[in-house]
Amino acid sequence: MKLDIMTMSLLSKYVSLIFPDYRFEKILLEFERTMSMELDFTQEAKNSERTTSCFRKNDVVKVPHVFWELTTKEVLTMEFCTGHKVDDLDFLRKADISPTKVAKALIELFGEMIFIHGFVHGDPHPGNILVSPRGQGRFSLVLLDHGIYKELDPKFRLDYCKLWKALISLDVQKILELGEQFGVGKYAKYFPLIFTGRTIDSKSALGTQISGEEKTRIKQDLNSLGMDDISSFMESLPPDFLVILRTDGLLRSILGNLGAPRHVRLLAYAKCAIYGHEEQSRLESGAINRITLQIKTSISYLHLRILIELARLLVQFNDYKHKAKDKLSWMLQKISREVLGWYKALM
């Protein structure tokens, strides 16, 4: 591993000499750190037990038990758990398990990791998440491979909660303000595009497809970016953000494979962001203040949920409208063919 890291480091330096705008040494250092962690199996076992503790009240999440008497730095011995890859649609259909329910459970699991616990599984590809049937459409999500975890900085976690609240409500001023705190400056305007698929000045409803005019404007804007912009953006991001981006990218891919509606992710993240933001305040408050905070949190979540649900209904309405239009067009074509057939028969 050390030889591979050294080779990658040398190649990176040579490339940066030829292309000065290429500056990804920071990513290489983070890669080296995470790989070193993954090769220590006692650390993986500790991560596994900490995750078990975080989700002890969640009966959907299953983390294999560690047998410490048979575990060393080089050998990890865990409970054997059965299941199929989380995006195995054929298996889910045969087991009568709803792919949308699996997607919802999955994104809520990782939303809680990111926004509330601040302890994030760094490699959630389909092979590391199994669906284990429990009968009558019920299931467990078995979480494997706890080698790479990222413990988020408490301030970063709270700011990330604030960012998602601002993204859902498209609070432009707050997004730009948080961009300054994250150190990305002018590139903060791309946060809505990266996370929710709409521009910072979008007029489209949350969760809907952006307009053709917006697509054209996005292409023009992105075409104006050079390698120096991309390097500057990546270098400016805190290390915690790089982990979040990778994790969210993998999760979105799985949700896409499961055919989950876009609002499932938005709603789960909105809920976790609100509860994560108020978590510290609840810990520091007295009993009466905790009740007030709980009410405030519930109202904030209800407000964001209404925004997302309205957007979802709008998407469904547009889908029904297009389907009705297609159906009507098909009926008119069929009637036209039949009329033409009768006319030819009469002639």
Side-chain angles (χ1 to χ4, degrees):
M1 186 194 111
K2 289 179 180 177
L3 183 61
D4 286 345
I5 293 291
M6 186 176 71
T7 304
M8 291 166 68
S9 180
L10 286 171
L11 287 172
S12 179
K13 286 175 182 175
Y14 285 133
V15 170
S16 64
L17 289 174
I18 302 169
F19 303 100
D21 294 334
Y22 176 93
R23 302 187 302 274
F24 291 151
E25 291 86 355
K26 188 175 177 182
I27 297 175
L28 185 59
L29 289 172
E30 181 65 16
F31 174 74
E32 182 178 7
R33 186 191 68 81
T34 54
M35 284 302 297
S36 299
M37 287 171 55
E38 191 165 18
L39 292 176
D40 183 352
F41 288 144
T42 56
Q43 183 59 51
E44 179 169 349
K46 290 174 184 175
N47 292 342
S48 173
E49 291 199 332
R50 182 170 171 182
T51 302
T52 301
S53 177
C54 288
F55 293 94
R56 62 186 180 278
K57 294 181 181 179
N58 188 330
D59 62 353
V60 175
V61 181
K62 168 71 177 174
V63 179
H65 173 73
V66 175
F67 295 93
W68 279 103
E69 66 276 14
L70 299 171
T71 294
T72 68
K73 195 170 183 177
E74 291 81 24
V75 178
L76 174 61
T77 309
M78 298 181 297
E79 169 191 7
F80 182 77
C81 296
T82 59
H84 288 247
K85 285 185 178 182
V86 67
D87 61 352
D88 187 341
L89 291 174
D90 289 338
F91 162 73
L92 293 178
R93 291 189 189 101
K94 288 175 184 175
D96 196 27
I97 295 172
S98 165
T100 301
K101 286 184 178 178
V102 171
K104 185 174 180 290
L106 175 66
I107 202 67
E108 286 182 350
L109 159 62
F110 277 88
E112 189 174 331
M113 275 188 175
I114 294 166
F115 295 100
I116 297 173
H117 302 299
F119 188 60
V120 186
H121 189 297
D123 197 19
H125 63 75
N128 283 340
I129 307 160
L130 305 181
V131 176
S132 181
R134 291 162 56 187
Q136 298 180 328
R138 294 179 301 118
F139 60 89
S140 294
L141 288 179
V142 183
L143 199 57
L144 306 175
D145 193 355
H146 301 270
I148 300 176
Y149 267 78
K150 180 66 176 178
E151 183 153 15
L152 303 180
D153 175 80
K155 185 180 184 308
F156 171 85
R157 183 186 66 79
L158 288 173
D159 285 342
Y160 191 64
C161 289
K162 293 175 187 175
L163 176 63
W164 262 91
K165 287 174 70 177
L167 288 171
I168 298 294
S169 57
L170 205 57
D171 184 340
V172 175
Q173 189 59 41
K174 192 66 178 177
I175 292 170
L176 296 177
E177 178 188 317
L178 288 165
E180 291 294 332
Q181 292 186 39
F182 287 130
V184 298
K186 64 179 182 179
Y187 302 111
K189 69 176 184 178
Y190 295 111
F191 280 157
L193 186 62
I194 292 169
F195 290 111
T196 65
R198 57 178 179 169
T199 59
I200 198 164
D201 55 354
S202 178
K203 300 296 185 289
S204 303
L206 184 66
T208 60
Q209 293 294 328
I210 58 177
S211 65
E213 182 185 341
E214 283 181 303
K215 285 182 181 178
T216 302
R217 197 163 62 247
I218 289 168
K219 284 180 182 178
Q220 291 172 347
D221 199 6
L222 294 179
N223 285 337
S224 68
L225 297 177
M227 180 58 78
D228 58 331
D229 291 297
I230 297 170
S231 294
S232 295
F233 176 67
M234 297 299 287
E235 284 184 333
S236 301
L237 287 173
D240 291 358
F241 224 123
L242 297 174
V243 175
I244 293 291
L245 285 172
R246 182 178 187 277
T247 300
D248 188 52
L250 288 167
L251 292 171
R252 289 167 80 167
S253 175
I254 294 173
L255 263 58
N257 292 342
L258 290 170
R262 294 174 68 184
H263 76 272
V264 168
R265 170 176 163 273
L266 297 175
L267 193 57
Y269 278 4
K271 179 173 73 173
C272 292
I274 291 168
Y275 281 90
H277 181 244
E278 303 299 342
E279 182 67 23
Q280 192 64 34
S281 300
R282 280 199 296 272
L283 292 173
E284 296 170 356
S285 301
I288 295 174
N289 286 336
R290 283 194 192 120
I291 294 170
T292 305
L293 277 169
Q294 184 66 39
I295 294 170
K296 180 183 172 185
T297 302
S298 299
I299 292 171
S300 296
Y301 172 60
L302 182 61
H303 173 245
L304 293 185
R305 178 159 190 165
I306 288 169
L307 286 176
I308 295 170
E309 289 297 334
L310 285 173
R312 184 174 67 85
L313 289 171
L314 183 61
V315 172
Q316 286 184 340
F317 174 75
N318 286 332
D319 287 345
Y320 291 144
K321 186 172 70 174
H322 289 308
K323 285 177 182 176
K325 185 179 177 182
D326 292 341
K327 183 73 173 177
L328 182 61
S329 176
W330 175 80
M331 288 173 65
L332 288 172
Q333 288 176 7
K334 185 179 179 182
I335 291 169
S336 297
R337 285 196 297 269
E338 289 178 354
V339 169
L340 185 61
W342 294 338
Y343 177 75
K344 286 180 178 178
L346 289 172
M347 293 298 288

